Amino acid sequence: MPLNAVANLSTGLGPLSVNHLGQLPSVTISFNLKPGVSLGDAVAAVEKLSRSTLPSTISTSFQGMAQAFQSSLKNLWILLIMAILVIYLVLGILYESFLHPLTILSGLPAAGFGALLTLLIFHMDLNLYAFVGIIMLVGLVKKNGIIMIDFALDAQRKEGKNPFDAIHEACVVRFRPIMMTTMSALMGTLPIALGYGREGKHGRAWAWP
């Protein structure tokens, strides 16, 4: 049976192939980054444009570096919580106490508030670089707390000082090493804070009906 017996044939233009993603037809839109623009800003701009332009029947997702960037941001909160939990457990084993680790980590809320306030003042987003800085801040706060608590506990046990006098002396004596290590860490992260070595190019957005 000839084909024209069951169908109408006509000549026209059409795609050679139809791309699919997850068994659905899809269209790939690629983009690069302008100099000085981070991948996080580009992803946010593409998402805003897609919400205002595409109909509700179109679903979108990122692929490539853009998808890896989004996945890393989603997992960073879990990483931060797990880091604090592991620090607490290690300090609890070290001091054989449930209280001293909380004393050491008691500076984290104030440090976190200061970090978020600094981002707000400089009009910066909570991006990947900011998360790296926050995780580093947790390490600095823990290190400073250990330096002072160790000295204060030693002064209490060997010199019989009360807790107030012991921690006061610890703050005075340990101020210089705390500032030295803190400034070294700050100088080491200064290139990241200034924006050198930003993300590379290439991101892709997928859309399918």
Side-chain angles (χ1 to χ4, degrees):
M1 179 182 295
L3 183 61
N4 57 9
V6 295
N8 294 324
L9 303 180
S10 62
T11 303
L13 299 177
L16 295 177
S17 62
V18 178
N19 296 325
H20 286 77
L21 182 65
Q23 298 182 350
L24 294 174
S26 64
V27 175
T28 304
I29 303 174
S30 302
F31 61 91
N32 290 330
L33 302 177
K34 287 184 177 180
V37 178
S38 66
L39 182 58
D41 295 336
V43 168
V46 171
E47 286 182 334
K48 182 179 179 181
L49 182 62
S50 65
R51 287 194 298 267
S52 61
T53 305
L54 299 177
S56 58
T57 56
I58 301 295
S59 301
T60 61
S61 68
F62 287 96
Q63 298 294 320
M65 290 183 61
Q67 184 188 36
F69 174 79
Q70 284 191 321
S71 300
S72 64
L73 286 182
K74 292 179 181 178
N75 296 328
L76 279 176
W77 283 108
I78 300 176
L79 177 62
L80 181 61
I81 295 173
M82 292 299 297
I84 296 175
L85 180 61
V86 170
I87 289 172
Y88 176 81
L89 294 176
V90 172
L91 292 177
I93 296 172
L94 177 64
Y95 290 103
E96 298 180 352
S97 170
F98 295 104
L99 181 62
H100 291 318
L102 293 177
T103 305
I104 293 174
L105 297 176
S106 62
L108 287 181
F113 176 78
L116 295 178
L117 182 62
T118 303
L119 292 176
L120 182 63
I121 292 174
F122 287 96
H123 304 287
M124 299 292 294
D125 296 328
L126 189 60
N127 52 26
L128 183 62
Y129 295 105
F131 263 104
V132 172
I134 290 176
I135 293 175
M136 183 176 177
L137 182 63
V138 171
L140 286 175
V141 171
K142 178 212 57 166
K143 181 266 301 177
N144 296 341
I146 290 175
I147 290 176
M148 291 188 295
I149 294 299
D150 270 345
F151 189 94
L153 289 177
D154 190 64
Q156 279 186 278
R157 294 166 182 170
K158 294 183 179 180
E159 302 176 18
K161 293 187 176 183
N162 60 63
F164 180 82
D165 292 336
I167 195 63
H168 179 267
E169 184 180 359
C171 293
V172 173
V173 175
R174 296 298 192 182
F175 177 76
R176 193 169 94 174
I178 286 175
M179 291 304 299
M180 289 172 60
T181 54
T182 301
M183 293 305 297
S184 299
L186 289 177
M187 292 300 103
T189 56
L190 189 60
I192 298 179
L194 295 178
Y196 292 107
R198 293 242 170 184
E199 298 103 327
K201 298 180 180 180
H202 308 302
R204 291 183 292 171
W206 293 75
W208 62 89

